[in-house]
Amino acid sequence: MKIAAVIVAAGRGLRLGGDIPKQYQDLAGRSVLARTTEALLKCDRIDHVVCVIGADADALYRKAMTDITDPRLLAPVHGGADRASSVLCGLTALKNKAVDRVLIHDAARPFVGQAQLTALCQATGGAILAEPVVDALWREADGAADCPVPRDGLWRAQTPQAFPYQQILDAHQSVPGTGTDQPPALDDTGTFRRAGGRVELIPGNPDNFKITTTADMVRARRQTESEQTLEYRTGQGFDVHRFTPGDGVWLCGVHIAHTQTLDGHSDADVGLHALADALYGALAEGDIGRHFPPTDPQWKGAESAQFLAHAADLVKQRDGRIINTDLTLLCEAPKISPHAEAMQSRLAEIMSITAGRISIKATTMERMGFIGREEGIGCMATATITVPVSP
């Protein structure tokens, strides 16, 4: 089953105030929208994420999302005059993605939990996150409590709200236009039910609140700070491979023509091997050999990019973040500088981080030792990450 998420971010958020819409405002060093998007991208069941933004918000979006390079995040689309039309714009943008199920989420809810996302993905029909109402409810009259409202069976809806893709698309396409007697639906659940769908209630989490007022933003910043008790970790990696007859080498994911090649069980990319080991080291997860044993024939001739991608994914699974990586290639030949930018871009792609977090250098061994005699190539790498503090 292919699952996508639509983040509705086209509103102005006027009740919060400020010079820019609330989804682009700062939340502990990052925009609200970036934090909301990353919460969805942490769910490995979600194949695509698309943000629906205001027609005049392209520059704000680019600035807010600059450090998110996950390929599952699609290009943003412009929304409509109201929330329902914006949702329809997001759903329409997914038409060619063969989506089976879609989650629709508010941009101003950055604290949705992974357990809740999994439950929404696993549901078969319509499903929403919601909390049972526990407070006493009163109907107001002239500013005073007039009569109690029974709270039995009442739930407060949250987002995401999840639906079979084609059914919710059809439901939104059939929404009556303005000027009709039918009042607008309260949310996507209302739209889905009007089309005959059934919606399951999945218990939400009080932390998954919507940032609407200044008090909400204060709460969000406190919650972010409490969740982000982070520690910095640094790992190092080293790898070396001997030369063997051939016509080129793989270094940092880039193929370089050369008079020899590197000998190894996989493609012998010393740069990717050293960097993967640096990430594994920062996580105290051993080395490549633990995760991809050289005795296993399935890794014979394998592309080393998958080793580095696995290490980077482990950082993500630990709710961590790659802060910086630094590689030094040790070789007399080939020349590295003409390929350094391509290597930087390839490593950024594999690890889903920005190229500005990657340093690539090279040095010769002044003709000393086996590297100096051009018998092989080595690489030293370091990586710094942040992860939540653990016992």
Side-chain angles (χ1 to χ4, degrees), residues 127-138:
I128 66 169
L129 299 181
E131 290 185 279
V133 174
V134 296
D135 297 318
L137 299 175
W138 286 88

Side-chain angles (χ1 to χ4, degrees), residues 233 279-286 290 318:
R233 292 186 173 197
L279 290 176
Y280 287 133
L283 292 168
E285 285 281 352
R290 176 193 295 186
R318 292 270 293 271

Side-chain angles (χ1 to χ4, degrees), residues 199-210:
V199 181
E200 175 188 357
L201 292 171
I202 293 177
N205 189 310
D207 289 340
N208 184 28
F209 64 93
K210 185 176 182 180

Side-chain angles (χ1 to χ4, degrees), residues 99-146:
V99 171
D100 301 295
R101 188 165 183 78
V102 64
L103 279 60
I104 303 172
H105 190 42
D106 295 330
R109 291 185 189 267
F111 301 115
V112 61
Q114 295 302 300
Q116 286 73 36
L117 289 174
T118 298
L120 290 170
C121 291
Q122 290 176 336
T124 55
I128 66 169
L129 299 181
E131 290 185 279
V133 174
V134 296
D135 297 318
L137 299 175
W138 286 88
R139 193 176 303 280
E140 177 266 344
D142 297 326
D146 183 55

